[in-house]
């Protein structure tokens, strides 16, 4: 059995290395979302399965760590070539994708800490470096907000801007998992509040954008990243729970907000899927891979974690019923979403797709 799992690990690494993603092609800034999605699954879902998954967990940890290292080296390579700023920092909206680097590093640290708590000093060092990256990212966000507001650059706004909140709250969760001190709790209250301020600023920008949204735009104008609108509030709620920085009543309001937006956003997603299935072929409608799709796995995972960890002791009975329903049905949904996304990823990026395209060109 052990040979089987180690063989599977080597096979996955071989697939990753052989895929075009890891063969010198341009790396999208949002690829940190892959680590975020798989990492939140490892933290939130695996412990709920109640079956021995130690070795598979190590396998996932190793794969996430290697992907994270590769992304770091890829971005360093872009910096050495002098194309880093042009690729990742100049666009006032797409530059928010840098937030996935911060959140992915935080999630990876949490995954490793759960598996290897004796590595706390090393993980703390990485967390400090990640805080430096977050500081740089906040400066970048402020510059982007200035450009968006001054130039009224609203037509390109979508859920990616909420990564400013996600990255901020991910650091709160990380440090409060590593340490528990009253000073940290007080500091967390201010940081979470700052993340919520960014959340509502982003919400205003998105509302302005949606005022110009037309019914026909649902086919191609609605972005995968819009699910971060509810995911950002979910991770804010998790940060509030982990840090203990807010009262139960405040956290309940945050959950209600996240739940309502989850229902609204995902209803629009279902409408969009139905519209695309009518307008396009099955492959064109829902069978194409895009890196931004990992955001859905991440946001579903954060809402699930937020729901199962919130205390509904003094809440009305319907809240407890909803919590139990999500706790029971959430796991298979998250597993199916992850399997579907992994299938799309490997179908799109592995060499057989290149071979198929090559055959079509020759024909």
């Amino acid at each position: 059995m052990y040979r089987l799992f180690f063989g599977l690990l080597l096979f996955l690494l071989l697939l990753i290395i052989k895929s075009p993603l890891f063969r010198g092609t341009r790396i999208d800034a949002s690829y940190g979302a892959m680590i975020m999605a798989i990492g939140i699954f490892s933290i939130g879902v695996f412990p709920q399965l109640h079956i021995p998954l130690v070795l598979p967990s190590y396998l996932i940890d190793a794969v996430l760590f290697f992907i994270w290292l590769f992304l770091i080296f890829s971005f360093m390579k872009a910096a050495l070539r002098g194309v880093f700023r042009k690729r990742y920092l100049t666009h006032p909206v797409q530059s928010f994708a840098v937030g996935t680097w911060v959140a992915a590093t935080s999630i990876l640290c949490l995954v490793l800490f759960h598996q290897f708590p004796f590595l706390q000093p090393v993980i703390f060092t990485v967390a400090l470096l990640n805080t430096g990256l977050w500081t740089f990212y906040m400066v970048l966000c402020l510059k982007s907000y200035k450009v968006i507001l001054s130039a009224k650059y609203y037509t390109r706004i979508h859920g990616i801007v909420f990564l400013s909140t996600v990255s901020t709250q991910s650091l709160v969760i990380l440090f409060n998992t590593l340490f528990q001190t009253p000073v940290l709790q007080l500091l967390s209250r201010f940081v979470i509040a700052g993340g919520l301020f960014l959340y509502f600023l982003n919400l205003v920008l998105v509302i302005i954008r949606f005022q110009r949204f037309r019914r026909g735009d649902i086919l191609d104008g609605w972005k995968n990243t819009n699910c971060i609108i509810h995911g950002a509030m979910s991770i804010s709620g998790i940060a509030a729970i982990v840090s203990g920085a807010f009262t139960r009543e405040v956290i309940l309001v945050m959950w209600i907000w996240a739940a309502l937006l989850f229902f609204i956003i995902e209803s629009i997603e279902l409408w969009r899927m139905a519209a695309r299935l009518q307008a396009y072929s099955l492959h064109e409608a829902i069978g194409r891979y895009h890196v931004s799709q990992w955001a859905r796995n991440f946001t579903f995972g954060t809402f699930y974690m937020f729901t199962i960890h919130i205390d509904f002791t003094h809440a009305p009975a319907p809240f407890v019923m909803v919590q139990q329903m999500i706790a029971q049905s959430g796991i298979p949904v998250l597993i199916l979403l992850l399997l579907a996304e992994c299938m799309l990823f490997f179908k799109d990026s592995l060499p057989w797709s290149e071979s198929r395209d090559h055959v079509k060109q020759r024909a």
Side-chain angles (χ1 to χ4, degrees), residues 95-208:
S95 59
F96 281 90
V98 176
T100 64
W101 308 352
V102 179
T105 303
S106 298
I107 297 296
L108 179 63
C109 287
L110 288 169
V111 170
L112 295 178
F113 181 71
H114 278 82
Q115 289 285 3
F116 313 104
F118 59 88
L119 291 178
Q120 182 179 9
V122 177
I123 295 173
F124 175 63
T125 302
V126 176
L128 289 178
L129 294 174
N130 198 31
T131 304
L133 176 60
W134 172 80
T135 304
F136 164 78
Y137 176 59
M138 284 294 105
V139 174
L140 178 64
C141 287
L142 291 176
K143 291 182 178 179
S144 297
Y145 285 131
K146 182 179 179 181
V147 172
I148 292 170
L149 294 173
S150 61
K152 297 184 178 180
Y153 195 74
Y154 303 129
T155 56
R156 297 294 184 90
I157 294 293
H158 55 96
I160 198 172
V161 295
F162 287 87
L163 286 170
S164 57
T165 296
V166 171
S167 60
T168 301
Q169 314 300 25
S170 73
L171 279 177
V172 174
I173 297 171
L174 175 57
F175 280 105
N176 279 276
T177 302
L178 294 175
F179 306 101
Q180 291 289 338
T181 63
V183 175
L184 183 59
Q185 185 183 70
L186 180 62
L187 179 61
S188 297
R189 185 174 302 163
F190 287 101
V191 176
I192 293 173
L196 289 174
F197 171 78
L198 293 175
Y199 177 90
F200 288 107
L201 173 59
N202 296 326
L203 188 63
V204 170
L205 295 177
V206 167
I207 290 173
I208 295 174

Side-chain angles (χ1 to χ4, degrees), residues 200-347:
F200 288 107
L201 173 59
N202 296 326
L203 188 63
V204 170
L205 295 177
V206 167
I207 290 173
I208 295 174
R209 164 68 182 99
F210 286 166
Q211 287 178 345
R212 307 180 184 184
F213 196 81
R214 298 294 178 265
R215 186 182 180 88
D217 295 340
I218 192 65
L219 287 175
D220 301 302
W222 181 268
K223 301 297 183 182
N224 294 315
T225 51
N226 286 334
C227 61
I228 309 178
I229 298 174
H230 63 76
M233 183 56 73
S234 292
I235 197 172
S236 297
I238 296 172
I241 293 174
V242 173
S243 65
F246 288 89
T247 63
R248 184 181 300 166
E249 291 74 19
V250 173
I251 295 174
L252 177 60
V253 171
M254 295 169 73
W255 183 86
I256 293 173
W257 182 277
L260 287 174
L261 283 178
F262 183 93
F263 176 78
I264 294 171
I265 298 297
E266 298 311 321
S267 296
I268 296 174
E269 286 285 355
L270 291 175
W271 172 32
R272 175 191 178 221
M273 182 177 67
R276 288 181 63 85
L277 285 171
Q278 288 182 348
Y280 305 127
S281 65
L282 180 64
H283 172 70
E284 192 70 24
I286 60 174
R288 287 189 175 275
Y289 169 79
H290 193 274
V291 62
S292 61
Q293 293 163 352
W294 290 105
R296 182 172 298 105
N297 296 76
F298 174 74
T299 55
F300 271 62
T302 51
F303 181 67
Y304 173 79
M305 284 190 65
F306 187 17
T307 302
I308 64 174
H309 287 102
I310 191 172
D311 184 7
F312 282 137
T313 303
H314 301 288
F319 286 93
V320 179
M321 293 174 58
V322 171
Q323 184 183 43
Q324 293 175 348
M325 182 183 66
I326 293 175
Q328 293 173 2
S329 62
I331 292 178
V333 171
L334 290 171
I335 291 175
L336 288 175
L337 280 176
L338 183 62
L339 289 176
E341 193 58 36
C342 288
M343 288 175 61
L344 288 177
F345 169 72
F346 285 119
K347 181 179 73 70

